Amino acid sequence: MTLAVRLPGRWSQRSRRLAMLTLAVIALVSALARLPAWSLADLRAFDYLSTLDAPGPPADSPIIVAIDEPSLAEINAQWPWPRELHARLIEGLRRAGATAIGLDIIFAEPSNPASDAALAKALGPDVVLAGDESMIVTPQADQLLRITPLPAFTATGAVTGIASITLGGDGVFRELPRYEDGFARSLARIAGRAAVSPDGKLLQSFGPSRSYPTVSYYQALDPENMLPKDTFKDRVVIVGLSLQNAPVINSGGADAFATSYTVHTGQLVPGAEIQATIFDNLTAGAAIRQAGPPAAIGAIALAALISAVFVRRATRWETVALSLFATLLLGLLSFVLIREANVFVSPVGPTLALLFVAVGQTAFDYAEERRQRREIVRAFSQYLSPALVERLARDPSQLKLGGERRILSILFCDVRGFTTIAEALKDDPEQLTTLINRLLTPLSDIVLKHGGTIDKYIGDCLMAFWNAPLDDDEHAQHAVAAALDMLDAMKALNIELRAEAAAVGAAYYALRIGIGINTGDCVVGNMGSSQRFDYSVLGDAVNLASRLEGASKNYGVPLLIGERTAQLAAPHFAVLELDRITVKGRTSAAPVFTAVRNLPDEAKATHARFIEDKYAGHLTADDPSFDTLPQANPTLAPYYETIRAEQFAGGA
């Protein structure tokens, strides 16, 4: 016996390797996080998290006066509209009680003198006019170009607000403009609202296009008659384009941009709503601060260390679950920080750090496990079954005789009339072997697909069970599902065999199977001698499953299941009682059932009444149920014919 002693202050080889892996992952992910492409991934994560359960606009948010399709139709004038129309709008909004008015329209060029004079007269200190700023890059120099309203308009006290925004590398608007004289900041000052600094802050979107209260331009021209009373009273109003259908207006841009919410809707948000969103971000404290490099690196390091704790002792299937849970938790924490602290710490870097450590250690463990498995297989494959060798490779401590008591679902599947087929092919053993292999291969695959364990093959019979060696809380459901799939597979196989026989002019042998399933207490484990043993199952429930398979032929059904199996499978299939029988080796009668995938409730109710009449002795050979039930459930047609034959013979 070897005694393992852990010495204080000394690390095992696994711990040293894990520590080096963790440090390498922290360094690698922190370096990758500095790349421009990575920042786009962070910002896309921000898009999803910041719009998850996004809050709506504040109650006192700006109202949008939209230059939209209805307004273009109602006003029926070519764009740009005469400026005296904007003058009428400003005066009407002022009379309606608006505290500040922002026109997200650039008036940089003179128009009709009378129109310009009318607009200048209507303007005042309560109005913000949009300006624009752009960088012109040429090989000779970079030139900053600023476009502002005509001096005649600002001379009246109207304020210029730069409405320009900067889009991210993926064309999405997220970062708040930093202009001191920005459109939204200027509007906030006029409205008497305190505004936070936009430096380094990201935009909190409040929803898709038209999330803000919006009225059409033509309605705002006559608010007394076309809008509810006090619509604009004590409110900030922003006027601008808000086209829903037309991509351009007068060959100009539609003034619409992608925001974080565009990832959900695919729609652009009009510029007027963009400015309203900036306004609320600055005045309502909704703007989100993006964490700097120290915080990002700290989050990456913390996630890598947490992952190292998960895999410190071993990597198992629980490691995958914990990693997935931790990944979701990182996303949740990032979301909570956005909502509760208005801080965005990207979960992308921490998530990758966590997964890299977990996957890296899993790869190391997998390589070590593969080495150990090869040693075990090399040592035992000569005298143990492959299935048991695989189990021993996973857990060498099970190399002993013994078993455990468990509730299992056991399935027996046998070929009907195979003796006749074998007799017909007695002079062609190769064809017989090929036929049995073609039969058992799909049936075995189905058992494995549904999580079953194949116990053994007994000639043309297959035995399998569920809920061992791996736990399966739905073992009865999986056993019945496998049986139904096996019956479907037989139909497909017979079609293939018929076509092959016809192609070569050979005899066609139809294959039919009978299946019995029972659920009960069993002893499962390594059975055999001290020299050779196999993983198998014993118990009365096993015997009953075998008897049910044999009894199924007496009822003309391909599947017969026991009472406990029926109870567990009933929520998932149409389970129908057929009879109460006493099988060989038992003294008391027990109900037996069959199962189909689907059956109308009316047909199930009719069948239940049929069984009650059968037990009560009320059935007659001309009972109408014998005709209606086979039509509703053709699979049980032979069963109903069997019962009818009994009635003719006078049986019950």
Side-chain angles (χ1 to χ4, degrees), residues 167-252:
L167 303 181
D170 56 352
V172 177
F173 170 61
R174 303 183 186 89
E175 188 173 353
L176 291 178
R178 302 188 183 187
Y179 302 110
E180 286 293 332
D181 57 347
F183 186 89
R185 295 181 77 178
S186 299
L187 201 57
R189 282 194 292 269
I190 291 176
R193 304 274 191 92
V196 300
S197 171
D199 291 347
K201 291 186 173 63
L202 300 175
L203 183 84
Q204 170 61 64
S205 294
F206 297 113
S209 175
R210 294 296 175 112
S211 293
Y212 275 83
T214 302
V215 300
S216 291
Y217 189 102
Y218 78 92
Q219 295 174 315
L221 285 174
D222 188 13
E224 293 85 358
N225 297 318
M226 304 195 72
L227 294 173
K229 185 180 179 181
D230 296 334
T231 296
F232 299 112
K233 185 175 178 58
D234 299 326
R235 300 293 290 272
V236 174
V237 179
I238 297 178
V239 183
L241 291 172
S242 183
L243 301 177
Q244 298 297 300
N245 299 317
V248 295
I249 180 170
N250 195 30
S251 299

Side-chain angles (χ1 to χ4, degrees), residues 101-435:
I101 303 169
L103 272 68
D104 189 15
I105 308 170
I106 297 178
F107 301 107
E109 300 290 339
S111 66
N112 181 280
S115 294
D116 290 348
L119 178 58
K121 183 179 178 181
L123 295 173
D126 59 344
V127 178
V128 176
L129 299 176
D132 181 65
E133 185 175 285
S134 58
M135 180 70 70
I136 306 299
V137 180
T138 64
Q140 293 77 25
D142 296 344
Q143 182 180 2
L144 183 65
L145 180 63
R146 175 173 280 226
I147 301 174
T148 58
L150 293 172
F153 296 153
T154 55
T156 62
V159 177
T160 299
I162 301 300
S164 303
I165 61 175
T166 301
L167 303 181
D170 56 352
V172 177
F173 170 61
R174 303 183 186 89
E175 188 173 353
L176 291 178
R178 302 188 183 187
Y179 302 110
E180 286 293 332
D181 57 347
F183 186 89
R185 295 181 77 178
S186 299
L187 201 57
R189 282 194 292 269
I190 291 176
R193 304 274 191 92
V196 300
S197 171
D199 291 347
K201 291 186 173 63
L202 300 175
L203 183 84
Q204 170 61 64
S205 294
F206 297 113
S209 175
R210 294 296 175 112
S211 293
Y212 275 83
T214 302
V215 300
S216 291
Y217 189 102
Y218 78 92
Q219 295 174 315
L221 285 174
D222 188 13
E224 293 85 358
N225 297 318
M226 304 195 72
L227 294 173
K229 185 180 179 181
D230 296 334
T231 296
F232 299 112
K233 185 175 178 58
D234 299 326
R235 300 293 290 272
V236 174
V237 179
I238 297 178
V239 183
L241 291 172
S242 183
L243 301 177
Q244 298 297 300
N245 299 317
V248 295
I249 180 170
N250 195 30
S251 299
D255 192 29
F257 308 91
T259 68
S260 293
Y261 218 92
T262 302
V263 299
H264 300 292
T265 64
Q267 297 178 346
L268 303 181
V269 178
E273 290 192 48
I274 292 283
Q275 296 299 334
T277 307
I278 297 173
F279 180 93
D280 284 334
N281 271 255
L282 296 175
T283 60
I288 299 168
R289 178 171 57 86
Q290 187 171 10
I297 294 174
I300 291 170
L302 180 61
L305 292 173
I306 291 174
S307 184
V309 172
F310 286 167
V311 299
R312 182 171 61 91
R313 295 189 179 278
T315 53
R316 298 178 293 270
W317 68 266
E318 292 93 339
T319 305
V320 177
L322 287 172
S323 297
L324 293 176
F325 173 76
T327 299
L328 295 175
L329 184 61
L330 288 172
L332 177 62
L333 289 175
S334 182
F335 170 74
V336 170
L337 286 174
I338 289 176
R339 287 287 171 264
E340 301 300 326
N342 287 49
V343 175
F344 173 58
V345 179
S346 174
V348 176
T351 297
L352 287 180
L354 185 146
L355 294 178
F356 281 175
V357 171
V359 170
Q361 186 59 48
T362 300
F364 288 142
D365 289 348
Y366 179 76
E368 179 65 19
E369 180 184 357
R370 294 294 297 176
R371 184 187 64 80
Q372 293 180 356
R373 284 191 179 190
R374 284 194 298 269
E375 294 180 356
I376 293 174
V377 170
R378 188 181 305 113
F380 298 107
S381 60
Q382 299 301 316
Y383 55 91
L384 293 180
S385 68
L388 185 54
V389 170
E390 180 63 23
R391 286 203 65 198
L392 293 177
R394 291 197 301 268
D395 186 5
S397 65
Q398 297 191 31
L399 188 60
K400 63 181 187 298
L401 288 174
E404 59 178 326
R405 181 173 293 276
R406 302 186 72 155
I407 297 176
L408 303 180
S409 290
I410 306 98
L411 177 149
F412 279 87
C413 174
D414 192 24
V415 179
R416 295 283 182 257
F418 191 76
T419 302
T420 302
I421 297 175
E423 179 66 22
L425 297 176
K426 63 181 179 180
D427 296 327
D428 192 353
E430 291 184 357
Q431 183 180 353
L432 180 62
T433 302
T434 300
L435 185 63

Side-chain angles (χ1 to χ4, degrees), residues 82-117:
R83 291 178 178 174
E84 61 263 26
L85 198 64
H86 300 312
R88 281 179 49 198
L89 176 69
I90 294 170
E91 292 169 350
L93 293 174
R94 195 176 283 137
R95 287 194 305 271
T99 59
I101 303 169
L103 272 68
D104 189 15
I105 308 170
I106 297 178
F107 301 107
E109 300 290 339
S111 66
N112 181 280
S115 294
D116 290 348

Side-chain angles (χ1 to χ4, degrees), residues 501-520:
V504 298
Y508 162 62
Y509 302 100
L511 297 176
R512 295 179 299 108
I513 58 173
I515 302 174
I517 303 176
N518 188 45
T519 300

